[in-house]
Short mmCIF file of all heavy atoms in Angstrom, two decimals:
data_model
loop_
_atom_site.label_atom_id
_atom_site.label_comp_id
_atom_site.label_asym_id
_atom_site.label_seq_id
_atom_site.Cartn_x
_atom_site.Cartn_y
_atom_site.Cartn_z
N ILE A 14 -37.95 53.52 71.26
CA ILE A 14 -37.97 53.28 69.82
C ILE A 14 -37.94 51.78 69.57
O ILE A 14 -37.01 51.08 69.97
CB ILE A 14 -36.75 53.94 69.14
CG1 ILE A 14 -36.80 55.46 69.33
CG2 ILE A 14 -36.71 53.58 67.65
CD1 ILE A 14 -35.54 56.16 68.88
N SER A 15 -38.95 51.29 68.89
CA SER A 15 -39.02 49.87 68.56
C SER A 15 -38.14 49.59 67.34
O SER A 15 -37.67 50.50 66.65
CB SER A 15 -40.46 49.48 68.23
OG SER A 15 -40.89 50.12 67.04
N ARG A 16 -37.95 48.31 67.05
CA ARG A 16 -37.17 47.92 65.88
C ARG A 16 -37.82 48.45 64.60
O ARG A 16 -37.14 48.97 63.71
CB ARG A 16 -37.06 46.40 65.81
CG ARG A 16 -36.16 45.91 64.68
CD ARG A 16 -36.11 44.39 64.65
NE ARG A 16 -37.42 43.83 64.31
CZ ARG A 16 -37.68 42.52 64.29
NH1 ARG A 16 -36.74 41.66 64.64
NH2 ARG A 16 -38.88 42.09 63.95
N GLU A 17 -39.15 48.33 64.51
CA GLU A 17 -39.85 48.81 63.33
C GLU A 17 -39.71 50.32 63.17
O GLU A 17 -39.51 50.83 62.07
CB GLU A 17 -41.33 48.41 63.39
CG GLU A 17 -42.19 48.96 62.26
CD GLU A 17 -41.73 48.53 60.88
OE1 GLU A 17 -41.05 47.48 60.77
OE2 GLU A 17 -42.03 49.25 59.90
N LYS A 18 -39.80 51.03 64.29
CA LYS A 18 -39.65 52.48 64.25
C LYS A 18 -38.23 52.86 63.79
O LYS A 18 -38.06 53.76 62.96
CB LYS A 18 -39.92 53.09 65.62
CG LYS A 18 -39.85 54.62 65.64
CD LYS A 18 -40.91 55.23 64.74
CE LYS A 18 -40.89 56.73 64.79
NZ LYS A 18 -41.88 57.34 63.90
N PHE A 19 -37.25 52.16 64.31
CA PHE A 19 -35.86 52.45 63.94
C PHE A 19 -35.64 52.16 62.45
O PHE A 19 -34.92 52.90 61.77
CB PHE A 19 -34.92 51.60 64.79
CG PHE A 19 -33.48 52.01 64.69
CD1 PHE A 19 -33.05 53.24 65.17
CD2 PHE A 19 -32.53 51.16 64.14
CE1 PHE A 19 -31.72 53.63 65.09
CE2 PHE A 19 -31.21 51.53 64.05
CZ PHE A 19 -30.80 52.76 64.53
N ARG A 20 -36.25 51.12 61.98
CA ARG A 20 -36.16 50.79 60.55
C ARG A 20 -36.70 51.94 59.71
O ARG A 20 -36.09 52.35 58.72
CB ARG A 20 -36.94 49.50 60.27
CG ARG A 20 -36.76 48.92 58.90
CD ARG A 20 -37.52 47.61 58.76
NE ARG A 20 -38.95 47.87 58.62
CZ ARG A 20 -39.55 48.10 57.44
NH1 ARG A 20 -38.84 48.11 56.32
NH2 ARG A 20 -40.84 48.33 57.37
N GLN A 21 -37.84 52.48 60.10
CA GLN A 21 -38.43 53.61 59.39
C GLN A 21 -37.56 54.85 59.49
O GLN A 21 -37.45 55.63 58.53
CB GLN A 21 -39.83 53.89 59.96
CG GLN A 21 -40.83 52.78 59.72
CD GLN A 21 -42.13 53.00 60.46
OE1 GLN A 21 -42.34 54.03 61.10
NE2 GLN A 21 -43.03 52.03 60.38
N MET A 22 -36.93 55.04 60.64
CA MET A 22 -36.03 56.18 60.83
C MET A 22 -34.85 56.12 59.87
O MET A 22 -34.43 57.13 59.30
CB MET A 22 -35.53 56.21 62.27
CG MET A 22 -36.57 56.64 63.30
SD MET A 22 -36.10 56.21 64.99
CE MET A 22 -34.51 57.05 65.16
N LEU A 23 -34.32 54.93 59.69
CA LEU A 23 -33.18 54.76 58.79
C LEU A 23 -33.58 55.00 57.33
O LEU A 23 -32.81 55.59 56.56
CB LEU A 23 -32.58 53.37 58.95
CG LEU A 23 -31.79 53.13 60.23
CD1 LEU A 23 -31.40 51.66 60.34
CD2 LEU A 23 -30.55 54.01 60.29
N ILE A 24 -34.76 54.54 56.97
CA ILE A 24 -35.24 54.78 55.60
C ILE A 24 -35.42 56.27 55.36
O ILE A 24 -35.02 56.81 54.32
CB ILE A 24 -36.55 54.01 55.36
CG1 ILE A 24 -36.29 52.50 55.34
CG2 ILE A 24 -37.20 54.45 54.04
CD1 ILE A 24 -37.54 51.65 55.28
N TYR A 25 -36.01 56.95 56.33
CA TYR A 25 -36.18 58.41 56.22
C TYR A 25 -34.80 59.08 56.08
O TYR A 25 -34.61 59.98 55.24
CB TYR A 25 -36.91 58.94 57.46
CG TYR A 25 -37.08 60.45 57.46
CD1 TYR A 25 -38.23 61.02 56.93
CD2 TYR A 25 -36.09 61.28 57.98
CE1 TYR A 25 -38.39 62.40 56.92
CE2 TYR A 25 -36.24 62.66 57.96
CZ TYR A 25 -37.39 63.22 57.43
OH TYR A 25 -37.54 64.59 57.42
N THR A 26 -33.86 58.64 56.91
CA THR A 26 -32.51 59.22 56.89
C THR A 26 -31.84 59.01 55.54
O THR A 26 -31.19 59.92 55.01
CB THR A 26 -31.65 58.60 58.00
OG1 THR A 26 -32.25 58.86 59.27
CG2 THR A 26 -30.24 59.17 57.99
N SER A 27 -32.00 57.82 54.98
CA SER A 27 -31.38 57.54 53.68
C SER A 27 -31.92 58.47 52.60
O SER A 27 -31.18 58.95 51.74
CB SER A 27 -31.61 56.08 53.29
OG SER A 27 -32.97 55.82 52.98
N ILE A 60 -28.08 51.88 53.03
CA ILE A 60 -28.91 51.97 54.24
C ILE A 60 -30.36 51.68 53.91
O ILE A 60 -31.05 50.94 54.62
CB ILE A 60 -28.77 53.37 54.88
CG1 ILE A 60 -27.35 53.59 55.40
CG2 ILE A 60 -29.79 53.55 56.01
CD1 ILE A 60 -27.06 55.01 55.86
N HIS A 61 -30.84 52.28 52.83
CA HIS A 61 -32.24 52.10 52.43
C HIS A 61 -32.53 50.63 52.11
O HIS A 61 -33.52 50.06 52.60
CB HIS A 61 -32.56 52.97 51.22
CG HIS A 61 -34.01 53.06 50.91
ND1 HIS A 61 -34.68 54.27 50.83
CD2 HIS A 61 -34.95 52.11 50.69
CE1 HIS A 61 -35.95 54.05 50.57
NE2 HIS A 61 -36.14 52.74 50.47
N LYS A 62 -31.69 50.04 51.30
CA LYS A 62 -31.92 48.66 50.88
C LYS A 62 -31.91 47.70 52.06
O LYS A 62 -32.78 46.83 52.19
CB LYS A 62 -30.85 48.25 49.86
CG LYS A 62 -31.05 46.84 49.30
CD LYS A 62 -29.99 46.54 48.25
CE LYS A 62 -30.18 45.12 47.69
NZ LYS A 62 -29.16 44.81 46.64
N ALA A 63 -30.92 47.86 52.94
CA ALA A 63 -30.82 46.98 54.11
C ALA A 63 -31.99 47.18 55.05
O ALA A 63 -32.53 46.21 55.60
CB ALA A 63 -29.50 47.23 54.83
N SER A 64 -32.41 48.42 55.22
CA SER A 64 -33.52 48.71 56.14
C SER A 64 -34.84 48.19 55.60
O SER A 64 -35.67 47.68 56.36
CB SER A 64 -33.60 50.22 56.39
OG SER A 64 -32.41 50.71 56.98
N GLU A 65 -35.04 48.30 54.31
CA GLU A 65 -36.25 47.76 53.70
C GLU A 65 -36.35 46.26 53.90
O GLU A 65 -37.44 45.71 54.09
CB GLU A 65 -36.26 48.08 52.19
CG GLU A 65 -36.59 49.53 51.84
CD GLU A 65 -38.08 49.80 51.87
OE1 GLU A 65 -38.84 48.95 52.34
OE2 GLU A 65 -38.48 50.89 51.42
N ALA A 66 -35.21 45.59 53.87
CA ALA A 66 -35.19 44.13 53.97
C ALA A 66 -35.19 43.62 55.42
O ALA A 66 -35.42 42.44 55.65
CB ALA A 66 -33.97 43.59 53.25
N TRP A 67 -34.95 44.53 56.37
CA TRP A 67 -34.82 44.11 57.77
C TRP A 67 -36.18 43.74 58.36
O TRP A 67 -37.04 44.59 58.55
CB TRP A 67 -34.20 45.25 58.57
CG TRP A 67 -33.90 44.92 60.01
CD1 TRP A 67 -33.63 43.70 60.54
CD2 TRP A 67 -33.82 45.86 61.09
NE1 TRP A 67 -33.39 43.80 61.88
CE2 TRP A 67 -33.49 45.11 62.25
CE3 TRP A 67 -33.97 47.24 61.19
CZ2 TRP A 67 -33.33 45.72 63.51
CZ3 TRP A 67 -33.81 47.85 62.43
CH2 TRP A 67 -33.50 47.09 63.57
N ARG A 68 -36.35 42.48 58.64
CA ARG A 68 -37.59 41.99 59.25
C ARG A 68 -37.32 41.16 60.49
O ARG A 68 -38.11 41.15 61.42
CB ARG A 68 -38.39 41.14 58.24
CG ARG A 68 -38.98 41.94 57.08
CD ARG A 68 -40.03 42.94 57.56
NE ARG A 68 -40.66 43.64 56.44
CZ ARG A 68 -40.20 44.75 55.90
NH1 ARG A 68 -39.07 45.28 56.36
NH2 ARG A 68 -40.84 45.33 54.90
N ASP A 69 -36.20 40.45 60.49
CA ASP A 69 -35.84 39.60 61.62
C ASP A 69 -34.47 40.02 62.16
O ASP A 69 -33.69 40.66 61.46
CB ASP A 69 -35.78 38.13 61.20
CG ASP A 69 -37.13 37.62 60.69
OD1 ASP A 69 -38.13 37.87 61.38
OD2 ASP A 69 -37.17 37.01 59.62
N PHE A 72 -31.16 44.65 66.95
CA PHE A 72 -30.50 45.91 66.56
C PHE A 72 -29.01 45.67 66.28
O PHE A 72 -28.47 46.14 65.27
CB PHE A 72 -30.62 46.95 67.68
CG PHE A 72 -31.97 47.57 67.81
CD1 PHE A 72 -32.83 47.19 68.83
CD2 PHE A 72 -32.40 48.56 66.93
CE1 PHE A 72 -34.08 47.78 68.98
CE2 PHE A 72 -33.64 49.16 67.06
CZ PHE A 72 -34.48 48.76 68.09
N PHE A 75 -28.16 43.67 63.03
CA PHE A 75 -28.51 44.45 61.84
C PHE A 75 -27.51 45.57 61.59
O PHE A 75 -27.01 45.75 60.48
CB PHE A 75 -29.92 45.03 61.97
CG PHE A 75 -30.24 46.04 60.91
CD1 PHE A 75 -30.48 45.65 59.61
CD2 PHE A 75 -30.24 47.41 61.21
CE1 PHE A 75 -30.74 46.59 58.61
CE2 PHE A 75 -30.51 48.35 60.22
CZ PHE A 75 -30.76 47.94 58.92
N LEU A 112 -35.16 50.85 72.17
CA LEU A 112 -34.20 51.89 72.50
C LEU A 112 -34.84 53.02 73.28
O LEU A 112 -35.82 53.61 72.84
CB LEU A 112 -33.56 52.46 71.22
CG LEU A 112 -32.90 51.46 70.28
CD1 LEU A 112 -32.28 52.21 69.10
CD2 LEU A 112 -31.84 50.64 71.00
N LEU A 213 -32.20 60.93 61.60
CA LEU A 213 -32.63 60.07 62.69
C LEU A 213 -33.63 60.77 63.60
O LEU A 213 -34.64 60.19 64.02
CB LEU A 213 -31.42 59.60 63.50
CG LEU A 213 -30.47 58.64 62.77
CD1 LEU A 213 -29.24 58.37 63.63
CD2 LEU A 213 -31.17 57.34 62.42
N GLY A 216 -36.87 61.50 61.53
CA GLY A 216 -37.52 60.21 61.28
C GLY A 216 -38.21 59.68 62.51
O GLY A 216 -39.25 59.01 62.42
#
Side-chain angles (χ1 to χ4, degrees):
I14 298 171
S15 66
R16 185 181 66 184
E17 175 59 24
K18 183 62 178 179
F19 192 66
R20 189 177 76 87
Q21 295 172 4
M22 288 163 57
L23 287 173
I24 291 173
Y25 178 92
T26 300
S27 69
I60 294 171
H61 191 124
K62 183 177 180 179
S64 299
E65 285 279 11
W67 185 27
R68 291 295 184 272
D69 299 312
F72 285 104
F75 169 73
L112 305 182
L213 291 174

